[in-house]
Amino acid sequence: MSFVLSSADGPRAVSVAAGPDEGGQRLDRFLAARLPEFSRARLQALMREGAVSAGGRTLVDPSARVNAGETYVVAAPPPAPAEPVGQDIPLTVAFEDAHLIVIDKPAGLVVHPAAGHADGTLVNALINHCGASLSGVGGVARPGIVHRLDKDTSGLLVVAKHDAAHRALSAQFADHGRTGPLVRSYRALVWGLPSRPRGTVDAPLGRSERNREKIAVRADGREAITHWEVLERFEAAGASLMECRLETGRTHQIRVHMASIGHPLLGDMVYGASHRTKAARLSDEGRDALAALNRQALHAAELGFAHPVTGEELHFESPLPDDLTRMTSALETQ
């Protein structure tokens, strides 16, 4: 049994009594199993900070053995303020509860602060939007980024609000849906007319040796598998609308895989630059729509996963945003 001892004003102290069959375990493993809201690494850090005790003794060794019947107290300080600051950036929220939030991200919004994007990111927006509901990931009041979308890719992504949700969701994504309900489906407008209605690209990916800012198919890369299906063919325009389902989730995976089979994404100037002359085949409306797109034509349209706390299977869909709808319409009327 565990229960909270502290008031809301001070550190959150949680008491855990070891049962008769729990003696002899490593202390950090015992506490992590009994207190799933804390990661094992977080508990180890709290021990080093002197925040774990039993019988009035401070316990600093994570490998110490548990004594059956003893009561252990974890006094976790309130989550430290996040390094990034909250910013009032509009968000489209598809779902939110105390454990997670699902966002329909617009194109152009960077997910996480990084070099060249110190603020104005999804993380800044979430810190502002979620406020006190961020109970802390790794002891910091920040959203737990489980997966990312490129800056210029629109669509659905899920973010955790606390450690336990972050660990459970990360495990689902690491499993790639092979033993669970995880679904990640994208809509992509590509150049060319595939000769088959569907297929799979199984090609490992890694950093390009010629350009370290790009990803390339490499024999020594990490496993990467994309399943694709043609949803619509635009014969006159020489383009197609595809559904791409990720079995793995590597950086730029769909963009690189589609380019590797000769069907790069419309608007992708990194992996589809060699196909830019194909725009000459488009009508005036099509060229205008492509110029206005100013990004790769990729949208995370479907996201499904098991709720990290309740186990309920959640499923979300996002329609094509206006810029991709306009592009599709121009291709249809070519």
Side-chain angles (χ1 to χ4, degrees), residues 89-145:
I89 300 170
L91 292 174
T92 300
V93 178
F95 175 85
E96 182 177 11
D97 65 9
H99 311 289
L100 60 89
I101 183 169
V102 177
I103 297 296
D104 197 340
K105 186 186 86 69
L109 181 62
V110 175
V111 170
H112 202 281
H117 297 284
D119 58 12
T121 70
L122 177 63
V123 166
N124 297 107
L126 287 170
I127 290 171
N128 178 74
H129 173 87
C130 296
S133 69
L134 289 177
S135 62
V137 174
V140 178
R142 66 184 179 203
I145 302 300

Side-chain angles (χ1 to χ4, degrees), residues 115-244:
H117 297 284
D119 58 12
T121 70
L122 177 63
V123 166
N124 297 107
L126 287 170
I127 290 171
N128 178 74
H129 173 87
C130 296
S133 69
L134 289 177
S135 62
V137 174
V140 178
R142 66 184 179 203
I145 302 300
V146 179
H147 62 122
R148 302 189 187 197
L149 297 177
D150 293 342
K151 169 179 174 282
D152 291 324
T153 297
S154 54
L156 297 164
L157 78 164
V158 58
V159 179
K161 290 188 175 182
H162 55 73
D163 265 327
H166 189 248
R167 288 199 308 276
L169 287 168
S170 295
Q172 289 188 59
F173 277 76
D175 181 62
H176 304 305
R178 288 166 179 154
T179 61
L182 181 70
V183 174
R184 298 175 68 188
S185 175
Y186 292 69
R187 298 294 182 270
L189 287 168
V190 306
W191 291 115
L193 304 165
S195 58
R196 294 178 294 146
R198 62 186 58 83
T200 296
V201 182
D202 185 347
L205 299 177
R207 288 285 168 189
S208 169
E209 292 182 337
R210 290 184 288 183
N211 183 345
R212 299 299 293 175
E213 294 185 1
K214 294 177 66 173
I215 304 297
V217 173
R218 297 182 51 148
D220 62 348
R222 301 176 69 190
E223 179 188 35
I225 302 172
T226 304
H227 304 285
W228 58 266
E229 181 177 355
V230 177
L231 299 180
E232 192 170 356
R233 297 162 65 90
F234 309 107
E235 300 281 350
S240 302
L241 174 64
M242 280 189 177
E243 176 189 37
C244 296

